[in-house]
């Protein structure tokens, strides 16, 4: 029996993959019920290939919006990079899907048998016994399991007991995310757009016929709070030099649909597993959102873990899992961290933009495709 802690993107996908492969599991989540918080998220082709394997593709395509073109531009929407996602679609079966995070999670939850998800069960600690692991929850209850999987996110409690030392790094950037309750003008419908300015950037994509998601990233001290009564005005002023569509998005988004998070990641840790306990997703390797790969890598973890369990019954699965995934994931952690630094440069932005505008699309596509490629 596998016990999974955390019903986020990684834990839910693990449950679905285990369901598909007939691996016994139980999933425990601290929230009382599925929570509808969050904004837009991009699911890259590597994530979509796994979600197809897990059998939830139709459900998520029904509530998401396909992005066939990813563009990087200056603040006025003058193109620097224009990447058609159709070659990726031809190669991997999918381009990118933009979807509301709450809808994604609901679609995943609905595909899991109800008796296998236990809500309102916050992990407290574990105890390694002879052949099993005993898990304590904060409500005083307990469960015993052969294997424990910590999918409990960047602030993982499983991680903090398994490895006492780990460091969450602040990127020096804060991010506002909003969902406007209308679609974009038709010419933008299938585009994922990112605009780079000086020390600030703005991105957007349509999520469904009546939702558009945006994000605004600014260099900032950590832990700052917003005065909600003036936040929209503040963002409007901050982005006054950007293309007018930015003002439209900020002005037409309800203040309750704007969230703020500081951008962080997990400084790579030496190991993700020990004996019969393993971390996956953000608990093992939280990634800054600059490449839209944090969730995708959590989803990939679920796939590879499931495959290793059924293919290598007598070996140390968790050790093999770490061996298979460690290099790829940490190279994405690193690349994403530096992408964020370049995207939010305060000076030298003309040179930066000139360089990006002459990078051959082929080179950019090759890099993207190496991330999209789900190798067996
Ligand atoms: C601004 C932003 C934008 C992003 N955009 C993208 C994107 O476009 N594409 C992409 O692929 N990724 C994106 N990401 C990254 C992505 O959100 C994460 O990598 C992903 O959510 C990780 O999934 P997870 O399941 O590991 O962790 P989480 O989604 O954080 O889930 C952890 C779960 O564990 C539960 N939990 C926590 N503690 C306990 C406990 N003690 N007991 C029981 N349950 C517990 C939590 O309630 C939660 O449900 C973005 C991240 C940010 C911050």
């Amino acid at each position: 029996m596998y016990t999974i802690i955390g019903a986020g993107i990684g834990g839910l996908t693990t449950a679905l993959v285990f369901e598909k492969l007939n691996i016994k599991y139980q999933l425990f989540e601290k929230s009382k019920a599925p929570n509808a918080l969050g904004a837009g998220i991009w699911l890259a082709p590597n994530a979509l290939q796994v979600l197809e394997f897990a059998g939830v593709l139709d459900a998520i395509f029904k509530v998401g919006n396909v992005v066939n073109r990813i563009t990087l531009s200056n603040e006025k929407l003058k193109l620097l990079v224009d990447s058609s996602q159709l070659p990726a679609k031809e190669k991997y079966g999918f381009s990118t899907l933009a979807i509301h995070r709450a809808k994604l999670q609901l679609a995943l939850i609905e595909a899991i048998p109800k008796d296998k998800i236990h809500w309102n069960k916050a992990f407290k600690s574990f105890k390694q016994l002879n052949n099993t692991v005993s898990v304590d929850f904060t409500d005083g209850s307990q469960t015993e399991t052969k294997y424990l999987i910590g999918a409990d996110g960047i602030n993982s409690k499983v991680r903090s007991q398994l490895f006492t030392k780990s460091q969450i790094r602040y990127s020096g950037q804060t991010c506002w995310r909003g969902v406007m309750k209308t679609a974009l003008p038709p010419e933008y419908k299938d585009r994922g757009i990112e605009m780079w300015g000086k020390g600030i950037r703005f991105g957007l994509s349509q999520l469904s016929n009546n939702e558009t998601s945006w994000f605004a990233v600014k260099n900032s001290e950590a832990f700052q709070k917003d005065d909600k009564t003036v936040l929209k005005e503040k963002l409007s002023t901050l982005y006054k030099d950007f293309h007018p569509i930015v003002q439209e998005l900020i002005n037409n988004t309800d203040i309750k649909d704007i969230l703020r998070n500081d951008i962080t990641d997990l400084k790579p840790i030496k190991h993700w597993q020990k004996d019969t306990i393993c971390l996956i997703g953000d608990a093992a390797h939280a990634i800054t959102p600059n490449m839209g790969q944090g969730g995708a890598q959590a989803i990939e973890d679920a796939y590879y873990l499931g495959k290793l369990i059924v293919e290598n019954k007598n070996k140390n699965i968790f050790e093999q899992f770490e061996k298979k995934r460690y290099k790829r994931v940490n190279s994405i952690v690193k690349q994403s961290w530096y992408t964020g630094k370049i995207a939010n440069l305060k000076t030298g932005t003309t040179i930066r933009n000139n360089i990006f505008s002459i990078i051959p699309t082929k080179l950019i596509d090759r890099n993207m495709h190496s991330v999209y490629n789900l190798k067996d």
Side-chain angles (χ1 to χ4, degrees), residues 5-12 28-31 35 40-44 47 101 105 121-124 137 151-157 175 177 261-263 280-283 286-289 291-299:
I5 305 294
I9 294 173
L12 290 169
F28 295 89
E29 162 61 43
K30 73 172 177 186
S31 307
N35 80 53
I41 181 166
W42 284 11
L43 292 174
R101 182 187 291 264
Q105 294 208 202
K121 284 280 174 196
F123 167 90
K124 187 178 165 204
F137 297 97
D152 49 342
I154 188 166
N155 297 305
S156 169
K157 280 226 161 76
C175 175
R177 287 174 293 159
N261 294 93
D262 286 340
I263 294 182
I280 65 159
D282 278 13
I287 306 173
T288 50
M291 290 168 66
Q293 275 293 320
Q297 291 307 311
I299 288 170

Side-chain angles (χ1 to χ4, degrees), residues 211-255:
E211 286 167 320
T212 299
S213 172
W214 56 265
F215 62 86
V217 179
K218 174 182 177 280
N219 298 336
S220 161
E221 298 286 308
F223 307 119
Q224 302 298 300
K225 290 270 173 285
D226 292 319
D227 174 354
K228 290 264 185 174
T229 58
V230 292
L231 175 60
K232 281 179 35 168
E233 216 175 295
K234 205 178 113 186
L235 287 173
S236 248
T237 310
L238 189 61
Y239 287 90
K240 67 179 180 346
D241 295 330
F242 276 57
H243 187 277
I245 194 165
V246 172
Q247 297 296 325
E248 244 176 75
L249 282 159
I250 295 169
N251 293 335
N252 293 320
T253 300
D254 199 303
I255 187 70

Side-chain angles (χ1 to χ4, degrees), residues 7-165:
I9 294 173
L12 290 169
T13 310
T14 305
L16 284 169
V17 168
F18 282 12
E19 225 15 87
K20 174 100 188 176
L21 297 173
N22 284 321
I23 300 166
K24 282 194 179 149
Y25 70 92
Q26 292 287 324
L27 175 55
F28 295 89
E29 162 61 43
K30 73 172 177 186
S31 307
K32 288 197 174 78
N35 80 53
L37 269 181
I41 181 166
W42 284 11
L43 292 174
N46 50 325
L48 292 171
Q49 289 167 79
V50 174
L51 295 172
E52 179 184 39
F53 174 82
V56 286
L57 211 57
D58 287 350
I60 60 171
F61 269 79
K62 243 185 237 162
V63 290
N65 180 52
V66 173
V67 172
N68 282 326
R69 189 178 162 204
I70 296 181
T71 61
L72 172 63
S73 66
N74 71 4
E75 60 266 71
K76 302 285 188 211
L77 215 49
K78 180 173 177 262
L79 288 181
L80 304 173
V81 173
D82 190 354
S83 170
S84 167
Q85 296 297 290
L86 296 176
K89 187 174 178 181
E90 211 163 279
K91 232 170 155 177
Y92 309 111
F94 307 101
S95 39
T96 290
L97 188 77
I99 185 169
H100 197 295
R101 182 187 291 264
K103 290 184 182 172
L104 168 66
Q105 294 208 202
L106 267 187
L108 302 181
I109 289 164
E110 269 164 23
I112 297 171
K114 284 196 174 37
D115 60 336
K116 292 193 182 159
I117 309 189
H118 308 277
W119 300 98
N120 206 7
K121 284 280 174 196
F123 167 90
K124 187 178 165 204
S125 61
F126 64 79
K127 227 181 281 134
Q128 196 107 46
L129 307 175
N130 273 349
N131 278 319
T132 56
V133 182
S134 157
V135 178
D136 282 345
F137 297 97
T138 55
D139 62 1
S141 62
Q142 261 184 357
T143 191
E144 212 167 302
T145 183
K146 180 105 174 111
Y147 301 101
L148 178 65
I149 298 173
D152 49 342
I154 188 166
N155 297 305
S156 169
K157 280 226 161 76
V158 180
R159 185 184 69 236
S160 59
Q161 190 183 341
L162 193 61
F163 305 116
T164 42
K165 279 189 195 152

